[in-house]
Amino acid sequence: MKHLFLFIITCCAFAKAYSQEISAQTATVDFKTINASLSLDFDSKSVLGFVETTFTILQNVDQVVMDGVEMKIVDKTPSITVTATDSTIVLTGEFKAGTTYKAQFDYQVKPLKAAYFVNNNGKEEFWTQGQGKYTSHWLPSIDDMNDKIVFDLKVAGHNSKTIIANGKGNRVLKDYGALFSSFDMQQPISSYLVALVAGDYVMKSETASSGVPLEYYYRPEDSLKVATTYKHSKDIFDFLETTIGVPFPFQDYKQVPVKDFLYAGMENASLTVFSDSFMVDEIGFTDRNYVNVNAHELAHQWFGDLVTETSSEHHWLHEGFATYYALLAEREIFGDDYFYFKLFETAEQLRELSDMGEGQRLVAAGGSSLTYYQKGAWAVHILREQLGAEAFDTAVRNYLTKYAYKNVTTDLFMAEVAAVTNVDLTAFKKNWLYQSAFQAEEALASLKENAFMQQYFQLQSGRAVALSSKFTALMNAIATNNDYLGAEAIYQLSQESINATLPAYKSAMATENVFIRQAIASSLEEVPEALVLEFYELLSDKSYVTREQATIKLWVYHQQRNDPASQRKVLDLMDNQLGFADGNIRTLWLALSLATPQYKPEQSLARYKELIGYTAPSQPYQLRENAFNYLRQLGSYEEESLHNLIEACVHHVWRFRESARKLLINALKNPKIDALLVTIKSDLSEQEIAYLQRIKAL
């Protein structure tokens, strides 16, 4: 059984709580198609395109509006005038109800958001992220998700790059040998689900049991990570298609990793884009695999893409269902214990939030990710238990079939549920949909139906019990070799004297269970002398989290004993290991090696430059963040890393940006930084200078 790293984070997109509401224009016009021929200008970071759109008029009007932010427009339709404002494209003409019209125009835009030109180790990449209503920053479209449109894209040039977009793709040669990648979508989707990726990719494929083509994209340098990253993909697809009982709603299904993505993943129709930090090897799979994000985004193809909310008030219909069905898929892979323990973890988070008076209604706008994703998943779980799996599955099939390629509300879904059952749903609606408090007692009762959770709760109840009264129970828990029971036993042992618990630790190490051993490495603040040899064994465990913890704690252990020779031994053992894509082990190793007296002094400058190099914009932001933090601890910013830190302060990933800003503000307290700022000022961009001027006069 495997355990995922940071379950909430990998449940996709960190609170993709769309603020989209129904626009008045949907009563006057229905946009049918948008066909776009595009070119990407990597030098100017611009998108150039030709758009042909068809729309049906519902009421006599002389103007209809598309969304397009800061776009330059050239009109091409004699009977329709096309102009642009700061945020819209206005189509003017004598439009009659019941008539379908066609408009054509050229446009150019330098996207402010939602489309990103990134440098990946010197190679140019491009990717988009519509995020509810932002596709209009790079493609003329309709921000209102209630207007579903058939999008067909054609992308010109870029012969050396792979172009990936929604729909069935073809690469064809046109006049003068120009290469075009064309994509046929066929089914209507909300504009926020349109996506485009360009980069240095290759692809492996397989076919789902239903015949749907599955395409797995990756960069050539990641070829050895493909099998582990996309592990179980076909099984997940087959499971969800069978369990949901409605055929996959699009022609094919693609998945592509991108650098510096804003979230864990995004469920663009037929094309999931995900963070390349999930490209992992066999060891990385233990702690940070792609399975949960994979299943979550795939579930969205039905819950969100096929059937879409009318407004953010009903966002749980997307996220709660995607989260729960992903967990069902993981249950098939990792087992029942995993399934119930993950439900338990999220129940604890929801209970704690509720106890603080910060619980939120599920059916309401402006909810948090914890509400829409986790409380939503719990609501689905409880509803499924109350109805029974057969009735629940029937209701879901009816709901998805009836409202395919349409928009829905919570009431519409609940009407489909009511149609297949005699169960009184009044209490469910009140307690789970419209009550801000989390129903912790009902959740606990559900969990207690499972034998494993009964064992876990029994073990957990001993946390305040004297060691002498529970030692046998802890030893028995370790002996089960169960990930969760064993880890709980270790965390309880860590609160006790090592002299009294040493036999239990020895027994735990002997299990060779990755997660029990990881609990040892993580829970002990210091390495006990009696476990030094065991901690050396942890340096080679099949977990980069465990290796990182063991490395730093052994290094500190030897430092406290003034034993630089043993510190150097630890460094020698851990040299040339990167760890995750964020370089958790390598950046730690570089920092420790620079802080270790007389460790290969002839190489210290090269190691220092390597650490600085990891702060460059061409590196993944997660790796940069680790490098910046270690440079701060070393007290060692210089021109290059300071410049890179300032660039990070205006980065498009807000979590990284905020982290960099805190580091910079702290660095500016050092008077030596002023001299460095003067030196690098001429190399800063206008955006970087503007930010500095806001926090400090240059």
Side-chain angles (χ1 to χ4, degrees), residues 676-695:
L676 289 177
L677 286 176
V678 173
T679 303
I680 66 175
K681 179 180 177 181
S682 61
D683 296 326
L684 300 178
S685 69
E686 291 182 5
Q687 189 180 14
E688 292 162 1
I689 291 174
Y691 172 69
L692 279 176
Q693 288 175 337
R694 289 202 301 271
I695 63 171

Side-chain angles (χ1 to χ4, degrees), residues 347-552:
E348 286 291 276
Q349 293 169 330
L350 288 161
R351 179 192 59 77
E352 182 179 351
L353 192 71
S354 185
D355 288 348
M356 293 189 297
E358 297 178 8
Q360 296 175 321
R361 289 174 48 180
L362 193 54
V363 183
S368 67
S369 62
L370 192 61
T371 297
Y372 289 135
Y373 291 61
Q374 309 308 331
K375 189 175 183 180
W378 261 104
V380 176
H381 178 66
I382 293 296
L383 181 62
R384 189 169 185 260
E385 287 194 332
Q386 290 186 5
L387 296 181
E390 184 177 352
F392 176 84
D393 291 345
T394 299
V396 169
R397 284 196 302 272
N398 293 346
Y399 161 72
L400 292 173
T401 302
K402 184 174 183 178
Y403 296 106
Y405 310 106
K406 298 177 183 177
N407 296 82
V408 293
T409 63
T410 298
D411 286 343
L412 292 176
F413 168 70
M414 292 306 299
E416 294 306 310
V417 173
V420 300
T421 182
N422 294 321
V423 174
D424 185 354
L425 300 171
T426 303
F428 171 80
K429 291 179 181 178
K430 175 185 175 183
N431 294 334
W432 287 96
L433 302 185
Y434 298 102
Q435 170 66 260
S436 59
F438 178 65
Q439 305 302 300
E441 290 186 8
E442 189 173 355
L444 180 62
S446 173
L447 291 170
K448 283 183 175 179
E449 292 295 315
N450 177 258
F452 159 69
M453 289 309 304
Q454 292 175 20
Q455 281 183 282
Y456 184 82
F457 290 140
Q458 178 64 34
L459 184 65
Q460 189 186 50
S461 67
R463 288 184 176 182
V465 175
L467 180 63
S468 58
S469 300
K470 65 181 180 181
F471 189 78
T472 300
L474 296 180
M475 289 290 286
N476 289 339
I478 292 170
T480 66
N481 204 29
N482 179 279
D483 295 353
Y484 310 107
L485 297 176
E488 171 64 23
I490 295 301
Y491 289 128
Q492 291 191 35
L493 289 171
S494 68
Q495 307 303 310
E496 309 290 342
S497 163
I498 188 62
N499 293 329
T501 58
L502 186 59
Y505 279 114
K506 295 284 188 179
S507 177
M509 288 293 297
T511 66
E512 298 188 1
N513 180 293
V514 174
F515 299 107
I516 294 176
R517 290 159 67 96
Q518 185 179 105
I520 295 173
S522 300
S523 63
L524 289 173
E525 294 185 6
E526 297 182 353
V527 178
E529 185 173 357
L531 293 177
V532 170
L533 292 179
E534 284 77 7
F535 263 75
Y536 271 97
E537 292 178 15
L538 295 178
L539 293 176
S540 57
D541 258 28
K542 191 180 178 181
S543 163
Y544 290 134
V545 171
T546 302
R547 293 183 184 189
E548 180 183 9
Q549 288 290 319
T551 299
I552 182 62

